[in-house]
Amino acid sequence: RAAAPAGPEAVAGRQVSLGADATNLAFSRASGRLVFSRSQADSNIYRLGLRGPGEAEGGPERLIASTRLENNPAYSPKGDSVAFMSSRSGSTEIWLSNADGSSPRQLTSMGGPLTANPRCSPDGTLILFDSRLKGHHGP
């Protein structure tokens, strides 16, 4: 329960963490409470072996999974690791695993803004990603 603010200026500059999946916020000054929606999605990363153009080797197999989001996979140039976005830590962060999906390790700790789309540099020494530091896209 939040204390009822004295006026609009009392709310300015305050930040409350609701998690990466909070939407549709509504605040009641009378009750000093906030209501919001929270939905959780679960997407996973799969891989598929290829024999040649348009020729699959077996079916897709789950490679990287948790009970939260796993998206935006990118192989390293040597193919020995996979960078990906995951919300398994509570916020969207960039992670790196071995090519077989083992030993996932968190690379970023942005703590809330949307962080996604990792891509490896051609020499494999850097990972580029985007993050909405102010919580929204655009200038």
Side-chain angles (χ1 to χ4, degrees):
R1 184 168 192 270
E9 61 284 343
V11 177
R14 292 188 185 176
Q15 185 174 7
V16 177
S17 178
L18 303 174
D21 49 9
T23 60
N24 306 308
L25 292 95
F27 178 70
S28 167
R29 287 188 180 274
S31 70
R33 293 191 175 144
L34 178 72
V35 291
F36 59 93
S37 299
R38 178 175 282 163
S39 63
Q40 295 179 340
D42 180 15
S43 62
N44 299 303
I45 296 173
Y46 289 76
R47 73 175 168 187
L48 179 66
L50 301 174
R51 291 188 192 144
E55 192 176 342
E57 187 176 288
E61 63 178 295
R62 193 164 62 179
L63 180 66
I64 300 169
S66 74
T67 58
R68 301 299 299 264
L69 296 174
E70 267 69 47
N71 285 319
N72 309 123
Y75 270 117
S76 65
K78 293 180 182 177
D80 57 352
S81 61
V82 177
F84 60 99
M85 179 278 286
S86 177
S87 63
R88 63 178 68 194
S89 66
S91 60
T92 56
E93 303 291 351
I94 303 302
W95 289 67
L96 187 69
S97 73
N98 295 331
D100 64 0
S102 66
S103 302
R105 54 207 174 277
Q106 186 175 337
L107 300 181
T108 63
S109 296
M110 305 305 279
L114 178 62
T115 301
N117 303 311
R119 295 295 175 258
C120 298
S121 64
D123 65 2
T125 60
L126 300 172
I127 296 177
L128 175 71
F129 62 93
D130 61 70
S131 185
R132 296 181 182 176
L133 294 176
K134 295 181 181 176
H136 57 83
H137 65 282

